[in-house]
């Protein structure tokens, strides 16, 4: 049971997370503990976690594809929410342990809008001990060995599983829906699952039986779905301010 005051993900923790990461960046090549090994593996697969954390700007999310709705004419449809708070609520909620898709969320957006970065930031919060004790986090890029890896992982009930880039998975090409159903079936015992995918690649789905626009149905699974929003002017300004700020001293190599 998660305490009401305990967060898995909070934007307020970002400055402390960055401060904790900076010393690790300069000694990563010489360290071999579990945390630095995971940071090194993350960098090899997804890119530097240190640069990401330093320049990260939290995106917003919404219930509908921003490419298909005119935000000026449909303000209610385009309602945006901070993605960290949205994901945190999903991770903390006390869902029943049913294999119905309620604990498996899809994160959708166009290319380059921050899906991978979001999953990396969730993993970094766990690695840097900014979420509840006793919960693990497994971040994977979806590929040929994904099913084997998720099925063999221990303590699934206390693990948040992050599966990135369904659209880059060769096993999904030509059979996306079948691949999604296989992933959902293999991950039903995890505490929560987040699966990212480019919107245009996501398979056609059935409407939610209860008419909820925030759910999609495939087979026997009815899953929550969130779309990342385009940056607004304030988020763009925040990002530009970060990347133009003089850099702190880091090792020439991140690993």
């Amino acid at each position: 049971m998660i305490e009401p005051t305990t967060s898995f993900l909070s934007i307020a923790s970002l400055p402390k997370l960055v401060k904790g990461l900076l010393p690790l960046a300069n000694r990563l090549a010489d360290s071999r503990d579990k945390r630095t090994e995971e940071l090194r593996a993350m960098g090899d697969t997804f890119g530097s976690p240190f640069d990401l954390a330093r320049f990260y700007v939290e995106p917003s999310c919404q219930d509908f594809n921003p490419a298909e709705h005119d935000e000026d004419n449909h303000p209610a449809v385009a309602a945006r929410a901070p993605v960290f708070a949205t994901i945190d609520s999903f991770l903390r909620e006390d869902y029943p342990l049913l294999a119905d898709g309620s604990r498996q969320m899809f994160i959708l957006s166009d290319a380059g809008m921050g899906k991978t970065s979001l999953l990396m930031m969730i993993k970094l919060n766990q690695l840097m001990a900014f979420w509840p004790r006793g919960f693990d986090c497994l971040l994977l890029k979806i590929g040929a060995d994904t099913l084997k890896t998720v099925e063999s992982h221990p303590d699934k009930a206390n693990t948040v599983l992050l599966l990135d880039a369904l659209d880059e998975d060769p096993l999904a090409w030509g059979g996306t829906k079948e691949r999604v159903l296989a992933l959902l079936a293999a991950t039903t015992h995890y505490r929560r699952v987040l699966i990212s995918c480019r919107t245009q690649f996501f398979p056609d789905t059935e409407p939610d039986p209860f008419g909820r626009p925030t759910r999609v149905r495939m087979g026997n699974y009815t899953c929550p779905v969130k779309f990342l929003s385009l940056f607004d002017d304030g988020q763009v300004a925040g990002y530009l301010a970060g990347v133009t700020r003089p850099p702190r001293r880091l090792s020439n190599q991140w690993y």
Side-chain angles (χ1 to χ4, degrees):
M1 185 71 177
I2 305 298
E3 294 293 331
T5 57
T6 302
S7 295
F8 281 87
L9 199 60
S10 171
I11 194 62
S13 300
L14 183 57
K16 293 180 180 179
L17 187 149
V18 173
K19 185 177 180 180
L21 277 172
L22 286 175
L24 295 178
N26 290 318
R27 66 171 189 264
L28 198 62
D30 301 321
S31 181
R32 290 294 181 268
D33 62 83
K34 183 177 185 294
R35 181 170 63 177
T36 52
E37 288 290 350
E38 289 198 62
L39 286 169
R40 189 178 294 109
M42 185 188 300
D44 290 341
T45 302
F46 301 101
S48 170
F50 304 104
D51 288 342
L52 171 66
R54 287 167 59 205
F55 301 126
Y56 192 72
V57 174
E58 180 191 15
S60 301
C61 63
Q62 57 193 69
D63 295 333
F64 295 87
N65 182 2
E68 295 180 355
H69 294 273
D70 184 340
E71 297 186 7
D72 293 330
N73 295 328
H74 300 84
V77 164
R80 297 154 56 107
V83 74
F84 276 21
T86 300
I87 298 299
D88 180 63
S89 178
F90 175 65
L91 298 181
R92 286 192 296 109
E93 286 292 332
D94 189 20
Y95 291 102
L97 297 177
L98 301 175
D100 61 355
S102 59
R103 292 176 290 116
Q104 297 156 294
M105 176 184 283
F106 292 102
I107 303 293
L108 306 180
S109 78
D110 288 345
M113 289 182 62
K115 299 180 295 296
T116 298
S117 295
L118 172 61
L119 298 191
M120 288 177 68
M121 290 301 297
I122 296 172
K123 176 61 180 177
L124 285 175
N125 271 266
Q126 181 261 330
L127 277 180
M128 301 304 293
F130 285 104
W131 71 355
R133 293 182 180 180
F135 293 96
D136 194 10
C137 182
L138 178 62
L139 170 61
L140 301 172
K141 183 169 183 177
I142 303 174
D145 60 349
T146 299
L147 291 181
K148 180 179 179 181
T149 301
V150 300
E151 288 169 356
S152 64
H153 189 76
D155 198 18
K156 297 178 181 65
N158 291 311
T159 299
V160 174
L161 176 63
L162 310 174
L163 299 178
D164 187 46
L166 175 67
D167 50 287
E168 297 178 18
D169 174 22
L171 296 184
W173 301 343
T176 311
K177 186 171 183 178
E178 292 76 13
R179 179 61 163 165
V180 170
L181 290 173
L183 290 169
L184 292 174
T187 60
T188 55
H189 297 296
Y190 281 81
R191 176 179 176 80
R192 297 291 184 275
V193 182
L194 296 171
I195 304 174
S196 76
C197 182
R198 189 162 50 89
T199 306
Q200 296 90 333
F201 189 83
F202 196 65
D204 292 335
T205 59
E206 304 167 28
D208 174 55
F210 299 100
R212 296 169 295 182
T214 58
R215 301 287 191 276
V216 293
R217 183 172 178 82
M218 280 186 283
N220 296 323
Y221 303 94
T222 302
C223 305
V225 59
K226 292 294 179 183
F227 294 86
L228 295 186
S229 307
L230 297 169
F231 268 15
D232 60 23
D233 290 345
Q235 290 165 321
V236 171
Y239 177 75
L240 292 176
V243 297
T244 57
R245 187 183 305 128
R248 302 187 188 187
R249 286 185 174 273
L250 292 175
S251 168
N252 290 332
Q253 290 183 310
W254 67 266
Y255 62 93

